[in-house]
Amino acid sequence: MTIKTTLMVTLSVLAITATSLKAEDLTLWTLNFDNNAANVALKKVATDFEAANPGTRVEIVQRAIDEHKTALRVAAGSNKGPDIYFSWAGLGLGGEYVKAGLSAPLDKYYTEYKWNDELLPAAAAFADLYPGGKHGVPFTFKGEAVYYNKKLFQQAGITEEPKTYEEFLADAEKLKAAGIPAFTFGGSVNWHVMRLMDVILETKCGTEKHDALKAMKADWSTEPCATDAFTEFAKWTKDYTLQPFMGIDNKQSYSLFTAGRAAMMLEGDWLVSQLETSGANLDDYGMFPFPTNTQRLYGFAEYNYISTKSPHPDLAAKFLDYFLSTKVQQDLVGQISSTSVNKNVQYANQKPLEAEWLDVFKTYGKVYMNGDQAFPLDVTTEYFRVINDVAAGNTEPADAAKQLQTFIAGRT
């Protein structure tokens, strides 16, 4: 064989090798997270996956939130895009890209990899919200519940956590009689007070009607429970909330809670570490899911989706399976999130409140989500406006549902 022939063969082999390596490339579009530990951890996962799968290269493209959303919208309308992309779960933000055809159904991968055997039920529940099959797998899951000051409950004569909404309302009356505001909220950030409306809507409407209203498949103006919910919301903001609250934000509301100015906050599982970091005694606080009588947990999730533009969906699913595996999730505890989406992960040196959250996550298999995750952005903005006007006393509850429906009808 001549030198020229040998060189040509060598170049051909290199070309074939390069082509095969390129064919095994995976691209993940995600956020540039404020928590840098999450960025570092995600890159390590990619590097370790490459080592376990020779010939595969994982490229992580990170952007700011608005840039990430723009990139996904462009990808949805083109023939190119990532193999895997990050988005929020739910019919609103995540559903926008599912509806646009960017997300591939993952039913066969859920079966092949038995993901439901490893995932927290509450975290996995969001995959079933979309029409046409399962979409996405959990990246993180955040539950929201009622935190309470044990001393203030004791002062009001409350001896046990409420199990039903009726018991909860009776406890709010006891607190009011004792001169203790039941809740503190920060109204200036919109979404903080929205949480109260969300949980009351679940309570008054039940699961099916609540979901239909948030999916904009039911008419807010003619559904009696919607008006009932706004009426109940107005009662809470008038009778049981630390006043005034519309001029303060969530951080100020937190300070008032830790100062003992109000008995409760409606917050996420992240509040445990926030309380601990600020020097609060965790033994002074308890937690329970808002008693809606529906047996669903309030919360939201962040998901990773396989793109319909991916030429390697099987490899993308293999990467997601690696990320969700017990071993990898065990290594990631405390880096991406304080609580893993994998139910088999073990935790050491847990505080009682942290252990209680784990019990909640393992107990609840169904969820309902925050309004700003369920609605498209423009409807979320109107939802905020209506809620704020009712809380401020500028809109009567009977008109609130009509105003929201008028806006929804005007956009379709």
Side-chain angles (χ1 to χ4, degrees), residues 30-108:
T30 189
L31 298 183
N32 185 13
F33 297 101
D34 291 335
N35 171 21
N36 192 54
N39 300 321
V40 173
L42 195 57
K43 290 175 182 176
K44 184 179 185 303
V45 171
T47 301
D48 291 347
F49 181 78
E50 290 172 344
N53 296 271
T56 297
R57 187 174 72 91
V58 180
E59 180 187 9
I60 300 177
V61 179
Q62 294 180 280
R63 300 180 176 93
I65 292 177
D66 289 341
E67 293 172 345
H68 179 67
K69 291 179 181 178
T70 299
L72 290 178
R73 291 188 182 107
V74 171
S78 69
N79 59 2
K80 294 183 179 180
D83 294 284
I84 302 169
Y85 67 90
F86 166 100
S87 187
W88 295 265
L91 297 175
L93 293 174
E96 174 184 348
Y97 309 114
V98 174
K99 187 177 180 180
L102 185 60
S103 173
L106 305 183
D107 301 72
K108 69 176 183 179

Side-chain angles (χ1 to χ4, degrees), residues 20-273:
S20 64
L21 284 174
K22 184 177 181 181
E24 291 299 309
D25 282 358
L26 278 180
T27 303
L28 167 63
W29 287 5
T30 189
L31 298 183
N32 185 13
F33 297 101
D34 291 335
N35 171 21
N36 192 54
N39 300 321
V40 173
L42 195 57
K43 290 175 182 176
K44 184 179 185 303
V45 171
T47 301
D48 291 347
F49 181 78
E50 290 172 344
N53 296 271
T56 297
R57 187 174 72 91
V58 180
E59 180 187 9
I60 300 177
V61 179
Q62 294 180 280
R63 300 180 176 93
I65 292 177
D66 289 341
E67 293 172 345
H68 179 67
K69 291 179 181 178
T70 299
L72 290 178
R73 291 188 182 107
V74 171
S78 69
N79 59 2
K80 294 183 179 180
D83 294 284
I84 302 169
Y85 67 90
F86 166 100
S87 187
W88 295 265
L91 297 175
L93 293 174
E96 174 184 348
Y97 309 114
V98 174
K99 187 177 180 180
L102 185 60
S103 173
L106 305 183
D107 301 72
K108 69 176 183 179
Y109 299 122
Y110 268 86
T111 300
E112 177 181 350
Y113 292 111
K114 300 179 180 179
W115 283 333
N116 283 332
D117 291 342
E118 287 196 298
L119 295 172
L120 289 171
F126 291 84
D128 295 317
L129 294 176
Y130 312 104
K134 289 177 174 290
H135 286 266
V137 294
F139 179 66
T140 65
F141 175 69
K142 306 296 184 184
E144 294 156 284
V146 177
Y147 290 82
Y148 67 94
N149 184 313
K150 293 180 180 178
K151 294 178 181 178
L152 294 183
F153 264 38
Q154 186 177 20
Q155 287 180 29
I158 303 171
T159 58
E160 60 182 1
E161 296 174 354
K163 300 296 189 298
T164 67
Y165 180 72
E166 293 71 27
E167 291 176 359
F168 190 48
L169 194 59
D171 288 342
E173 280 291 337
K174 290 178 182 178
L175 288 164
K176 182 180 179 182
I180 303 169
F183 270 116
T184 175
F185 286 99
S188 67
V189 293
N190 296 316
W191 47 265
H192 210 228
V193 181
M194 173 203 71
R195 293 175 181 169
L196 180 59
M197 182 62 201
D198 285 343
V199 295
I200 291 176
L201 196 65
E202 173 81 359
T203 304
K204 290 296 181 180
C205 292
T207 60
E208 292 184 7
K209 289 182 179 180
H210 184 185
D211 289 348
L213 288 167
K214 286 288 178 63
M216 299 179 292
K217 294 180 179 179
D219 190 320
W220 286 74
S221 64
T222 59
E223 179 51 65
C225 75
T227 298
D228 290 346
F230 275 113
T231 302
E232 193 77 355
F233 170 77
K235 177 179 175 61
W236 276 90
T237 56
K238 178 182 177 182
D239 295 341
Y240 307 127
T241 307
L242 180 63
Q243 303 287 341
F245 62 91
M246 292 305 292
I248 67 173
D249 63 16
N250 57 306
K251 294 180 180 178
Q252 292 169 305
S253 178
Y254 170 80
S255 297
L256 292 168
F257 176 63
T258 55
R261 296 284 301 278
M264 296 179 285
M265 282 194 81
L266 182 52
E267 277 291 339
D269 54 282
W270 58 83
L271 193 73
V272 178
S273 59

Side-chain angles (χ1 to χ4, degrees), residues 212-408:
L213 288 167
K214 286 288 178 63
M216 299 179 292
K217 294 180 179 179
D219 190 320
W220 286 74
S221 64
T222 59
E223 179 51 65
C225 75
T227 298
D228 290 346
F230 275 113
T231 302
E232 193 77 355
F233 170 77
K235 177 179 175 61
W236 276 90
T237 56
K238 178 182 177 182
D239 295 341
Y240 307 127
T241 307
L242 180 63
Q243 303 287 341
F245 62 91
M246 292 305 292
I248 67 173
D249 63 16
N250 57 306
K251 294 180 180 178
Q252 292 169 305
S253 178
Y254 170 80
S255 297
L256 292 168
F257 176 63
T258 55
R261 296 284 301 278
M264 296 179 285
M265 282 194 81
L266 182 52
E267 277 291 339
D269 54 282
W270 58 83
L271 193 73
V272 178
S273 59
Q274 188 177 347
L275 287 167
E276 189 172 25
T277 301
S278 65
N281 183 355
L282 293 181
D283 293 335
D284 291 339
Y285 301 95
M287 180 275 291
F288 56 88
F290 193 100
T292 60
N293 302 339
T294 65
Q295 301 305 308
R296 295 203 300 184
L297 181 65
Y298 186 44
F300 63 93
E302 298 166 327
Y303 264 40
N304 282 318
Y305 300 79
I306 293 180
S307 168
T308 53
K309 315 299 179 181
S310 172
H312 313 297
D314 291 344
L315 184 61
K318 186 177 181 180
F319 174 80
L320 292 178
D321 181 63
Y322 178 79
F323 175 78
L324 295 172
S325 66
T326 302
K327 181 183 182 303
V328 172
Q329 286 293 310
Q330 187 73 61
D331 293 340
L332 291 176
V333 170
Q335 297 179 64
I336 290 179
S337 181
S338 59
T339 304
S340 171
V341 296
N342 185 310
K343 66 183 179 184
N344 300 316
V345 164
Q346 301 297 311
Y347 300 85
N349 304 317
Q350 276 197 305
K351 304 294 188 297
L353 277 178
E354 293 172 327
E356 192 170 352
W357 264 115
L358 275 181
D359 289 339
V360 168
F361 287 147
K362 291 179 180 179
T363 299
Y364 285 81
K366 296 181 179 180
V367 297
Y368 64 103
M369 71 192 73
N370 298 47
D372 55 357
Q373 303 289 327
F375 283 132
L377 179 59
D378 59 335
V379 182
T380 292
T381 302
E382 179 67 5
Y383 188 51
F384 286 160
R385 185 195 67 78
V386 173
I387 288 171
N388 290 346
D389 277 356
V390 172
N394 298 327
T395 295
E396 291 297 320
D399 295 328
K402 295 177 182 178
Q403 290 182 17
L404 184 57
Q405 184 59 40
T406 297
F407 180 87
I408 292 171

